Amino acid sequence: MVQYNFKKITVVPNGKDFVDIILSRTQRQTPTVVHKGYAISRLRQFYMRKVKYTQQNFHEKLSTIIEEFPRLDDIHPFYGDLLHVLYNKDHYKLALGQINTARNLISKIAKDYVRLLKYGDSLYRCKSLKVAALGRMCTVIKRIGPSLAYLEQIRQHMARLPSIDPNTRTILICGYPNVGKSSFMNKITRADVDVQPYAFTTKSLFVGHTDYKYLRYQVIDTPGILDRPFEDRNIIEMCSITALAHLRAAVLFFLDISGSCGYSIAQQAALFHSIKSLFMNKPLIIVCNKTDLQPLDGISKEDRKLVEEMKSEAMKTVIGQGGEAANEEGVLLTMSALTEDGVIAVKNAACERLLNQRVELKMKSKKINDCLNRFHVALPKPRDQKERPPCIPEAVLEAKAKQAAEEVKRKTEKDLEEENGGAGVYSASLKKHYLLANDEWKEDILPEILDGHNVYDFIDPDILLRLEELECEEGLRQAEEEGDEFEMDGEELSPEEQEALAEIRKKKNLLIQQHRMKKSTAESRPIVPRKFDTDRKFTTERMGRQLSSLGLDPSLAIDRARSKSRGRKRERSVDRGEADGCDAMDIDGTQASKKLCLRSTSRSRSRSRPPSEFVPGEGLKDSTQKVKAIKLAKKSVKKRNKNARRGEADRVIPTLKPKHLFSGKRSIGKTQRR
């Protein structure tokens, strides 16, 4: 079976691009250095090579164009006429003929100039002949520029043509515009043809595929045809005529009996009779569409008579030779693409009639005689008059009966849904298959979250026993606390202590209230800046007064607060001997010497640690493990340091060809690194 795939045709460059491609390839693929000191034979060979190579490239490219474009006389007549309708056969052949003429001219030019180059007597003359040869070749290509552009347009259009196999099982849909052809095709195939309520929505052939009895059928949707002379039909209508004339297919002639397409039944019948010669030797079915708007029985007598005439013409098929009437079933069918009433019946009838016709043709062909001797159908003959019914074991019959009973008894979720109100009302229960000790527990509601906690975390089979133990323990503790219960009251305190207790309780209540106020306004309160005490309310003097009022010595607290607030500065370190001698100093020494002694004892000089010393909190077990980790870290960066990487993310690529090594004049030798 021949497959026509026009999408594989190579792109045709325009004249300017064609010249650039060939000359660029010649410059890249042939030597470029020549000196006048070379022998004359070497010079001639140098330029002859360029001319021959250019001619070969032109010849290959032009031959590819000529061979890949289809020849109208060699392909199937359907594609031949379709290309003629779309592009005009004469223009197409003329363009390919000009390409062929250019190929021959370039070959002749190259042959002539190679002959002249054999007699070139200098570098200048050889070079001039080479330039003239290449210039004439490029001039020939530029002259066929319009033909190249025309062929490129044809190639692009042919690549968009549907892939139609003229020899396979085909169903062809035809009729007036807007009668429902594309709607029918969308129903029976996976094609997506545009459907609009105006004429000539379909402007070219569309192909879809459908299946019938495990066989693939090709469905072709053709543009609408108008009832007018052959010469007045446009390109869109001629596509349909070409498909009807050349494709061996089952033809579905669509008839709009409602008249909503804008054409009466009489006009559609006139079109049928004008193109009925194209239906010869093809299974033909009259399809009355849009029965949802107008049933077939409701049309007038005149229209009914026209439909019957079309039916009688359709009954003349290949199977009934000499115009004899064939089987009337499946000749006139009704359908509605909107409600899908009768759509499948029309498809099945068309596929069945086409299949019968193809089988009949194959049986009448000469090839069937070569195949029949390979087939043998064995039919057993009865040896006596005894009846021998098929024997089916009892176990098999019982199993089948049991299976049938189970199928009847079992109710699916779909059945339950329909019984209980349908979709949106019935809600399937996910708990009915739970495996519990008691089936009544299946529909019990068990909370998953209670008081913000996951209930499943607190499920314990021994919870009652543990509850009893807790209650016993709680009772024992309450009994112990009753004997030791003590609450401070003011009866056993002196008046001074009672005043202090009242002050403490007052202060405690005040702090609790302040804390609650801060907590309630925490979300809306702005972040406290670093220097919040701008009014100098919280000072050491105020703290000293408050501590003094409570009867406490504030000196140590003030010194500690000042040491914390003052930034640490580098101070002159005191010798260890002097620091140790501070304890032996006289008690009556000055206050400055005491401060110096305190600072020197509290702040000893910081000593540096070795890297391998173990420090708690580093994530290592001991100093041995730390030494091992340091060694592994050094080993991991060794390769990176060797490649002079600054870090793991360093992706700098050094200069692979330093200029001082690769610049300047080259010595005599190899030129492979040019």
Side-chain angles (χ1 to χ4, degrees), residues 202-478:
T202 305
K203 297 182 180 179
S204 62
L205 300 178
F206 283 88
V207 180
H209 293 85
T210 186
D211 293 331
Y212 178 72
K213 289 187 177 180
Y214 304 103
L215 293 174
R216 180 61 55 91
Y217 285 78
Q218 176 178 261
V219 185
I220 300 179
D221 180 21
T222 62
I225 308 172
L226 299 178
D227 183 21
R228 53 186 176 181
F230 186 82
E231 297 80 10
D232 296 341
R233 291 196 169 104
N234 55 24
I235 294 177
I236 298 175
E237 295 175 88
M238 288 305 298
C239 290
S240 302
I241 299 296
T242 304
L244 286 170
H246 294 289
L247 291 179
R248 192 174 61 183
V251 181
L252 299 180
F253 187 84
F254 269 64
L255 195 67
D256 184 4
I257 59 176
S258 68
S260 60
C261 64
Y263 305 99
S264 64
I265 296 179
Q267 290 175 306
Q268 298 177 59
L271 172 66
F272 176 83
H273 290 293
S274 66
I275 62 172
K276 67 181 178 181
S277 59
L278 301 175
F279 303 149
M280 295 301 295
N281 302 332
K282 297 184 180 69
L284 177 61
I285 297 176
I286 309 296
V287 181
C288 298
N289 193 18
K290 303 185 182 179
T291 55
D292 56 315
L293 300 177
Q294 174 68 51
L296 182 62
D297 299 334
I299 61 176
S300 62
K301 293 182 179 180
E302 293 80 5
D303 293 342
R304 182 71 182 183
K305 184 179 179 182
L306 293 174
V307 173
E308 291 295 332
E309 290 178 359
M310 295 166 63
K311 179 182 176 182
S312 62
E313 289 291 338
M315 289 168 63
K316 299 173 183 178
T317 60
V318 164
I319 299 176
Q321 292 293 335
E324 295 179 3
N327 188 6
E328 294 187 5
E329 294 182 2
V331 176
L332 180 64
L333 299 174
T334 59
M335 59 160 276
S336 172
L338 181 63
T339 61
E340 299 186 10
D341 183 21
V343 171
I344 301 301
V346 171
K347 184 196 88 166
N348 293 344
C351 295
E352 189 67 32
R353 290 194 60 189
L354 179 63
L355 192 61
N356 293 337
Q357 189 215 29
R358 289 173 68 91
V359 171
E360 186 71 22
L361 290 176
K362 287 182 180 179
M363 292 297 293
K364 292 180 180 180
S365 65
K366 295 180 180 180
K367 294 181 181 179
I368 194 65
N369 297 326
D370 300 333
C371 300
L372 284 178
N373 57 3
R374 304 178 193 175
F375 301 133
H376 174 68
V377 181
L379 296 175
K381 295 181 180 180
R383 59 189 177 186
D384 50 26
Q385 301 299 325
K386 186 177 180 180
E387 291 289 336
R388 291 180 176 86
C391 179
I392 302 175
E394 291 293 332
V396 176
L397 294 174
E398 292 176 0
K400 285 186 176 181
K402 185 178 180 181
Q403 184 179 1
E406 288 180 356
E407 289 178 357
V408 172
K409 289 180 181 179
R410 184 184 174 192
K411 279 191 176 182
T412 61
E413 287 291 334
K414 186 73 174 176
D415 299 334
L416 294 174
E417 182 184 44
E418 291 176 357
E419 291 177 2
N420 294 284
V425 179
Y426 172 73
S427 179
S429 175
L430 302 178
K431 301 178 181 180
K432 60 184 177 182
H433 298 298
Y434 284 3
L435 301 176
L436 300 177
N438 189 354
D439 290 340
E440 296 179 357
W441 298 346
K442 288 184 178 180
E443 300 299 330
D444 289 351
I445 298 174
L446 177 67
E448 297 181 2
I449 304 296
L450 185 65
D451 296 335
H453 299 286
N454 193 350
V455 176
Y456 191 76
D457 295 340
F458 300 95
I459 293 177
D460 191 350
D462 302 330
I463 190 167
L464 297 176
L465 182 61
R466 296 177 185 275
L467 183 61
E468 291 179 1
E469 293 177 358
L470 288 174
E471 288 178 351
C472 293
E473 185 180 352
E474 186 181 6
L476 293 174
R477 290 191 176 184
Q478 287 179 354

Side-chain angles (χ1 to χ4, degrees), residues 611-629:
S612 60
E613 184 178 341
F614 174 69
V615 179
E618 287 184 338
L620 300 170
K621 186 168 64 175
D622 51 12
S623 59
T624 306
Q625 192 177 20
K626 186 172 183 180
V627 170
K628 188 176 180 180

